[in-house]
Amino acid sequence: HYIRMSRQAAFQVGYEALDQEEFRYLKERFKTLSISDFLNNFSFDSEDRSKLLSSLAQWDRDKPIEDFFHSEAFDTLLALPLFEEAYEVNRNKQREAFLTYLSSFEVDFRSEGINLVDVGWGGTMQEVIYKVLNEKYAVTGFYMGLRETYNILKRTKRYGLVFSVHPYTVYSDHILMANTQIYEQLLSANQGSVLGYDKTVENFTIEYHHPLERDLFEKHLRFHQDFMMEQFKVLLEDLSLICYNYAIVQRKITGLALRNGLLINSDKMKFMTVLNKGFIQNIGDNKVGIQYSIDQGENLFLFIKDFLIRPESKFRHLAKLKWILFEKNTWYRHLVPMRLIFSYLRINRFFREKILKESVVKGYNYF
């Protein structure tokens, strides 16, 4: 059974107050927001939205505000009785519509529990469903990768297939989570983003498919998804009679991700650039496209020290650096000795895994 949900829909359904700990995603991820962008995350009716914007007329509705969630504008918005009422009415309406939607699948989840399969990366949808069901029924998450976690309970267990930060991060996790947007793009659905729920519409979901996103899927992603599915079927058939070691498979895909991250050719980079331009952020500032950047606050000495000891922990920065240079000029990427860096990563890994004792490596990863 295919449940359609997005982060935007999840926030409207599950969170009783904006100061809850679960709402930290917006607060941490989107520090700079405009009032208009923030209100776009909720399915308020047009009249309530207009009244709220009028009540905040001293601020430019479309101007991004630094540290929005600690700003005077946000505090003023929270203090408005109209906002509190509209938020609560919308939340209850969304919750009721979602429960109706969930019941339409005719599955006895109360006795069987719910197993969610999703791309990733932390389990927002899983947390929302668990809370909407009053935390009475088990909701287990199975993700392509687990990059961040909530407070995992006995009834909210979650697992990452390709990588996971739980219970702690190891070498392959750093490599395989370096650019999760690629996974999201290649595994994107063929319908639009879910903006909310409505009991009066046929499929219970209010959706919007951005023209750029739809065009990207039809021209590029549909072909690649069909190809991946056929290859996956071949793989299943070839491995059906083989008992293979999980560690060997993990090592192979880690090596492949490492090579693609540092030594990817120009044709593949051009293709990924097309995908990046069609990436749609359906919450927060509704950003279109991906722009890579390096953290300016990182100390160069500490960066080099960490790279020499655990180069995989800096792999995401190195992979981004190549994209940044490529976007400026296709030849700039050759200025960084990626093949030398690639070789050092392999040598460092060999030394730690083959020469150092396993207990030392596990202890270092954990602490």
PDB file of all heavy atoms in Angstrom, residues 129-151:
ATOM      1  N   ILE A 129       3.139   9.469  11.820  1.00  0.00           N
ATOM      2  CA  ILE A 129       2.118   8.426  11.863  1.00  0.00           C
ATOM      3  C   ILE A 129       2.018   7.834  13.268  1.00  0.00           C
ATOM      4  O   ILE A 129       0.917   7.583  13.782  1.00  0.00           O
ATOM      5  CB  ILE A 129       2.417   7.336  10.822  1.00  0.00           C
ATOM      6  CG1 ILE A 129       2.295   7.918   9.411  1.00  0.00           C
ATOM      7  CG2 ILE A 129       1.475   6.146  10.982  1.00  0.00           C
ATOM      8  CD1 ILE A 129       2.661   6.955   8.308  1.00  0.00           C
ATOM      9  N   TYR A 130       3.163   7.639  13.902  1.00  0.00           N
ATOM     10  CA  TYR A 130       3.180   7.097  15.267  1.00  0.00           C
ATOM     11  C   TYR A 130       2.446   8.026  16.231  1.00  0.00           C
ATOM     12  O   TYR A 130       1.655   7.579  17.069  1.00  0.00           O
ATOM     13  CB  TYR A 130       4.633   6.902  15.708  1.00  0.00           C
ATOM     14  CG  TYR A 130       4.795   6.325  17.099  1.00  0.00           C
ATOM     15  CD1 TYR A 130       4.341   5.045  17.403  1.00  0.00           C
ATOM     16  CD2 TYR A 130       5.414   7.063  18.108  1.00  0.00           C
ATOM     17  CE1 TYR A 130       4.501   4.511  18.677  1.00  0.00           C
ATOM     18  CE2 TYR A 130       5.569   6.551  19.380  1.00  0.00           C
ATOM     19  CZ  TYR A 130       5.109   5.267  19.662  1.00  0.00           C
ATOM     20  OH  TYR A 130       5.269   4.749  20.927  1.00  0.00           O
ATOM     21  N   LYS A 131       2.660   9.325  16.101  1.00  0.00           N
ATOM     22  CA  LYS A 131       2.016  10.290  16.996  1.00  0.00           C
ATOM     23  C   LYS A 131       0.536  10.460  16.679  1.00  0.00           C
ATOM     24  O   LYS A 131      -0.292  10.605  17.580  1.00  0.00           O
ATOM     25  CB  LYS A 131       2.742  11.638  16.919  1.00  0.00           C
ATOM     26  CG  LYS A 131       4.129  11.617  17.537  1.00  0.00           C
ATOM     27  CD  LYS A 131       4.789  12.967  17.464  1.00  0.00           C
ATOM     28  CE  LYS A 131       6.185  12.921  18.080  1.00  0.00           C
ATOM     29  NZ  LYS A 131       6.136  12.583  19.509  1.00  0.00           N
ATOM     30  N   VAL A 132       0.204  10.439  15.380  1.00  0.00           N
ATOM     31  CA  VAL A 132      -1.196  10.568  14.986  1.00  0.00           C
ATOM     32  C   VAL A 132      -2.014   9.397  15.525  1.00  0.00           C
ATOM     33  O   VAL A 132      -3.185   9.542  15.883  1.00  0.00           O
ATOM     34  CB  VAL A 132      -1.314  10.649  13.448  1.00  0.00           C
ATOM     35  CG1 VAL A 132      -2.757  10.460  13.002  1.00  0.00           C
ATOM     36  CG2 VAL A 132      -0.801  11.990  12.958  1.00  0.00           C
ATOM     37  N   LEU A 133      -1.383   8.239  15.617  1.00  0.00           N
ATOM     38  CA  LEU A 133      -2.053   7.050  16.162  1.00  0.00           C
ATOM     39  C   LEU A 133      -1.896   6.972  17.675  1.00  0.00           C
ATOM     40  O   LEU A 133      -2.037   5.891  18.272  1.00  0.00           O
ATOM     41  CB  LEU A 133      -1.480   5.789  15.500  1.00  0.00           C
ATOM     42  CG  LEU A 133      -1.686   5.686  13.982  1.00  0.00           C
ATOM     43  CD1 LEU A 133      -1.019   4.447  13.425  1.00  0.00           C
ATOM     44  CD2 LEU A 133      -3.162   5.697  13.634  1.00  0.00           C
ATOM     45  N   ASN A 134      -1.598   8.129  18.283  1.00  0.00           N
ATOM     46  CA  ASN A 134      -1.514   8.260  19.746  1.00  0.00           C
ATOM     47  C   ASN A 134      -0.466   7.349  20.385  1.00  0.00           C
ATOM     48  O   ASN A 134      -0.620   6.926  21.543  1.00  0.00           O
ATOM     49  CB  ASN A 134      -2.887   7.995  20.379  1.00  0.00           C
ATOM     50  CG  ASN A 134      -3.933   8.995  19.925  1.00  0.00           C
ATOM     51  OD1 ASN A 134      -3.661  10.190  19.843  1.00  0.00           O
ATOM     52  ND2 ASN A 134      -5.121   8.510  19.589  1.00  0.00           N
ATOM     53  N   GLU A 135       0.570   7.017  19.613  1.00  0.00           N
ATOM     54  CA  GLU A 135       1.710   6.243  20.102  1.00  0.00           C
ATOM     55  C   GLU A 135       1.295   4.885  20.661  1.00  0.00           C
ATOM     56  O   GLU A 135       1.926   4.343  21.572  1.00  0.00           O
ATOM     57  CB  GLU A 135       2.488   7.046  21.163  1.00  0.00           C
ATOM     58  CG  GLU A 135       2.962   8.402  20.664  1.00  0.00           C
ATOM     59  CD  GLU A 135       3.771   9.166  21.695  1.00  0.00           C
ATOM     60  OE1 GLU A 135       3.990   8.625  22.789  1.00  0.00           O
ATOM     61  OE2 GLU A 135       4.178  10.299  21.404  1.00  0.00           O
ATOM     62  N   LYS A 136       0.245   4.304  20.079  1.00  0.00           N
ATOM     63  CA  LYS A 136      -0.269   3.021  20.568  1.00  0.00           C
ATOM     64  C   LYS A 136       0.196   1.832  19.735  1.00  0.00           C
ATOM     65  O   LYS A 136       0.181   0.697  20.208  1.00  0.00           O
ATOM     66  CB  LYS A 136      -1.807   3.046  20.575  1.00  0.00           C
ATOM     67  CG  LYS A 136      -2.426   3.981  21.584  1.00  0.00           C
ATOM     68  CD  LYS A 136      -3.938   3.892  21.526  1.00  0.00           C
ATOM     69  CE  LYS A 136      -4.589   4.800  22.572  1.00  0.00           C
ATOM     70  NZ  LYS A 136      -6.080   4.722  22.490  1.00  0.00           N
ATOM     71  N   TYR A 137       0.600   2.089  18.478  1.00  0.00           N
ATOM     72  CA  TYR A 137       0.894   0.991  17.569  1.00  0.00           C
ATOM     73  C   TYR A 137       2.300   1.139  16.996  1.00  0.00           C
ATOM     74  O   TYR A 137       2.775   2.244  16.740  1.00  0.00           O
ATOM     75  CB  TYR A 137      -0.138   0.954  16.441  1.00  0.00           C
ATOM     76  CG  TYR A 137      -1.558   1.052  16.946  1.00  0.00           C
ATOM     77  CD1 TYR A 137      -2.294   2.234  16.803  1.00  0.00           C
ATOM     78  CD2 TYR A 137      -2.158  -0.022  17.605  1.00  0.00           C
ATOM     79  CE1 TYR A 137      -3.591   2.338  17.286  1.00  0.00           C
ATOM     80  CE2 TYR A 137      -3.457   0.084  18.096  1.00  0.00           C
ATOM     81  CZ  TYR A 137      -4.158   1.263  17.937  1.00  0.00           C
ATOM     82  OH  TYR A 137      -5.434   1.369  18.427  1.00  0.00           O
ATOM     83  N   ALA A 138       2.923  -0.004  16.787  1.00  0.00           N
ATOM     84  CA  ALA A 138       4.300   0.004  16.285  1.00  0.00           C
ATOM     85  C   ALA A 138       4.352   0.496  14.841  1.00  0.00           C
ATOM     86  O   ALA A 138       3.565   0.079  14.004  1.00  0.00           O
ATOM     87  CB  ALA A 138       4.882  -1.407  16.374  1.00  0.00           C
ATOM     88  N   VAL A 139       5.291   1.408  14.581  1.00  0.00           N
ATOM     89  CA  VAL A 139       5.545   1.906  13.230  1.00  0.00           C
ATOM     90  C   VAL A 139       7.040   1.756  12.972  1.00  0.00           C
ATOM     91  O   VAL A 139       7.857   2.486  13.536  1.00  0.00           O
ATOM     92  CB  VAL A 139       5.121   3.376  13.069  1.00  0.00           C
ATOM     93  CG1 VAL A 139       5.344   3.829  11.624  1.00  0.00           C
ATOM     94  CG2 VAL A 139       3.658   3.573  13.461  1.00  0.00           C
ATOM     95  N   THR A 140       7.415   0.786  12.151  1.00  0.00           N
ATOM     96  CA  THR A 140       8.819   0.473  11.881  1.00  0.00           C
ATOM     97  C   THR A 140       9.223   1.036  10.525  1.00  0.00           C
ATOM     98  O   THR A 140       8.465   0.921   9.553  1.00  0.00           O
ATOM     99  CB  THR A 140       9.044  -1.057  11.900  1.00  0.00           C
ATOM    100  OG1 THR A 140       8.577  -1.593  13.147  1.00  0.00           O
ATOM    101  CG2 THR A 140      10.527  -1.381  11.740  1.00  0.00           C
ATOM    102  N   GLY A 141      10.394   1.649  10.459  1.00  0.00           N
ATOM    103  CA  GLY A 141      10.855   2.276   9.227  1.00  0.00           C
ATOM    104  C   GLY A 141      12.013   1.534   8.587  1.00  0.00           C
ATOM    105  O   GLY A 141      12.964   1.144   9.276  1.00  0.00           O
ATOM    106  N   PHE A 142      11.923   1.327   7.291  1.00  0.00           N
ATOM    107  CA  PHE A 142      13.002   0.727   6.509  1.00  0.00           C
ATOM    108  C   PHE A 142      13.388   1.725   5.421  1.00  0.00           C
ATOM    109  O   PHE A 142      12.588   2.024   4.531  1.00  0.00           O
ATOM    110  CB  PHE A 142      12.552  -0.600   5.888  1.00  0.00           C
ATOM    111  CG  PHE A 142      12.186  -1.648   6.903  1.00  0.00           C
ATOM    112  CD1 PHE A 142      10.883  -1.758   7.370  1.00  0.00           C
ATOM    113  CD2 PHE A 142      13.148  -2.511   7.406  1.00  0.00           C
ATOM    114  CE1 PHE A 142      10.534  -2.713   8.311  1.00  0.00           C
ATOM    115  CE2 PHE A 142      12.818  -3.465   8.351  1.00  0.00           C
ATOM    116  CZ  PHE A 142      11.507  -3.574   8.810  1.00  0.00           C
ATOM    117  N   TYR A 143      14.613   2.235   5.506  1.00  0.00           N
ATOM    118  CA  TYR A 143      15.036   3.327   4.627  1.00  0.00           C
ATOM    119  C   TYR A 143      16.253   2.932   3.796  1.00  0.00           C
ATOM    120  O   TYR A 143      17.042   2.066   4.197  1.00  0.00           O
ATOM    121  CB  TYR A 143      15.379   4.558   5.467  1.00  0.00           C
ATOM    122  CG  TYR A 143      14.235   5.004   6.343  1.00  0.00           C
ATOM    123  CD1 TYR A 143      14.182   4.656   7.689  1.00  0.00           C
ATOM    124  CD2 TYR A 143      13.186   5.757   5.818  1.00  0.00           C
ATOM    125  CE1 TYR A 143      13.120   5.041   8.489  1.00  0.00           C
ATOM    126  CE2 TYR A 143      12.120   6.156   6.604  1.00  0.00           C
ATOM    127  CZ  TYR A 143      12.086   5.794   7.941  1.00  0.00           C
ATOM    128  OH  TYR A 143      11.039   6.171   8.728  1.00  0.00           O
ATOM    129  N   MET A 144      16.394   3.602   2.677  1.00  0.00           N
ATOM    130  CA  MET A 144      17.612   3.391   1.899  1.00  0.00           C
ATOM    131  C   MET A 144      18.814   3.830   2.725  1.00  0.00           C
ATOM    132  O   MET A 144      19.864   3.206   2.690  1.00  0.00           O
ATOM    133  CB  MET A 144      17.547   4.178   0.598  1.00  0.00           C
ATOM    134  CG  MET A 144      18.762   3.944  -0.288  1.00  0.00           C
ATOM    135  SD  MET A 144      18.534   4.604  -1.938  1.00  0.00           S
ATOM    136  CE  MET A 144      20.060   4.033  -2.695  1.00  0.00           C
ATOM    137  N   GLY A 145      18.655   4.915   3.463  1.00  0.00           N
ATOM    138  CA  GLY A 145      19.723   5.381   4.344  1.00  0.00           C
ATOM    139  C   GLY A 145      19.149   6.111   5.533  1.00  0.00           C
ATOM    140  O   GLY A 145      18.094   6.739   5.446  1.00  0.00           O
ATOM    141  N   LEU A 146      19.850   6.030   6.645  1.00  0.00           N
ATOM    142  CA  LEU A 146      19.439   6.711   7.869  1.00  0.00           C
ATOM    143  C   LEU A 146      20.537   7.701   8.232  1.00  0.00           C
ATOM    144  O   LEU A 146      21.621   7.327   8.658  1.00  0.00           O
ATOM    145  CB  LEU A 146      19.246   5.693   8.992  1.00  0.00           C
ATOM    146  CG  LEU A 146      18.408   6.120  10.199  1.00  0.00           C
ATOM    147  CD1 LEU A 146      17.004   6.503   9.771  1.00  0.00           C
ATOM    148  CD2 LEU A 146      18.348   5.003  11.232  1.00  0.00           C
ATOM    149  N   ARG A 147      20.240   8.987   8.017  1.00  0.00           N
ATOM    150  CA  ARG A 147      21.244  10.029   8.204  1.00  0.00           C
ATOM    151  C   ARG A 147      21.062  10.801   9.503  1.00  0.00           C
ATOM    152  O   ARG A 147      21.994  11.382  10.040  1.00  0.00           O
ATOM    153  CB  ARG A 147      21.194  10.998   7.015  1.00  0.00           C
ATOM    154  CG  ARG A 147      22.322  12.002   6.961  1.00  0.00           C
ATOM    155  CD  ARG A 147      22.224  12.855   5.719  1.00  0.00           C
ATOM    156  NE  ARG A 147      20.969  13.596   5.667  1.00  0.00           N
ATOM    157  CZ  ARG A 147      20.549  14.269   4.600  1.00  0.00           C
ATOM    158  NH1 ARG A 147      21.270  14.258   3.499  1.00  0.00           N
ATOM    159  NH2 ARG A 147      19.408  14.940   4.627  1.00  0.00           N
ATOM    160  N   GLU A 148      19.831  10.810  10.016  1.00  0.00           N
ATOM    161  CA  GLU A 148      19.538  11.505  11.261  1.00  0.00           C
ATOM    162  C   GLU A 148      18.420  10.740  11.958  1.00  0.00           C
ATOM    163  O   GLU A 148      17.630  10.052  11.307  1.00  0.00           O
ATOM    164  CB  GLU A 148      19.105  12.946  10.993  1.00  0.00           C
ATOM    165  CG  GLU A 148      17.958  13.043  10.018  1.00  0.00           C
ATOM    166  CD  GLU A 148      17.779  14.427   9.430  1.00  0.00           C
ATOM    167  OE1 GLU A 148      18.769  15.043   9.036  1.00  0.00           O
ATOM    168  OE2 GLU A 148      16.630  14.868   9.376  1.00  0.00           O
ATOM    169  N   THR A 149      18.356  10.811  13.266  1.00  0.00           N
ATOM    170  CA  THR A 149      17.365  10.029  13.990  1.00  0.00           C
ATOM    171  C   THR A 149      16.627  10.889  15.002  1.00  0.00           C
ATOM    172  O   THR A 149      17.134  11.891  15.489  1.00  0.00           O
ATOM    173  CB  THR A 149      18.020   8.858  14.753  1.00  0.00           C
ATOM    174  OG1 THR A 149      18.924   9.384  15.730  1.00  0.00           O
ATOM    175  CG2 THR A 149      18.768   7.938  13.806  1.00  0.00           C
ATOM    176  N   TYR A 150      15.404  10.475  15.296  1.00  0.00           N
ATOM    177  CA  TYR A 150      14.660  11.041  16.405  1.00  0.00           C
ATOM    178  C   TYR A 150      14.985  10.198  17.634  1.00  0.00           C
ATOM    179  O   TYR A 150      15.949   9.428  17.627  1.00  0.00           O
ATOM    180  CB  TYR A 150      13.160  10.993  16.098  1.00  0.00           C
ATOM    181  CG  TYR A 150      12.716  11.916  14.992  1.00  0.00           C
ATOM    182  CD1 TYR A 150      12.855  11.566  13.653  1.00  0.00           C
ATOM    183  CD2 TYR A 150      12.157  13.155  15.278  1.00  0.00           C
ATOM    184  CE1 TYR A 150      12.441  12.414  12.642  1.00  0.00           C
ATOM    185  CE2 TYR A 150      11.738  14.016  14.273  1.00  0.00           C
ATOM    186  CZ  TYR A 150      11.890  13.634  12.966  1.00  0.00           C
ATOM    187  OH  TYR A 150      11.481  14.480  11.965  1.00  0.00           O
ATOM    188  N   ASN A 151      14.207  10.326  18.669  1.00  0.00           N
ATOM    189  CA  ASN A 151      14.367   9.476  19.847  1.00  0.00           C
ATOM    190  C   ASN A 151      13.742   8.118  19.536  1.00  0.00           C
ATOM    191  O   ASN A 151      12.536   7.920  19.663  1.00  0.00           O
ATOM    192  CB  ASN A 151      13.685  10.126  21.059  1.00  0.00           C
ATOM    193  CG  ASN A 151      13.848   9.290  22.310  1.00  0.00           C
ATOM    194  OD1 ASN A 151      14.808   8.524  22.440  1.00  0.00           O
ATOM    195  ND2 ASN A 151      12.907   9.402  23.230  1.00  0.00           N
TER     196      ASN A 151
END
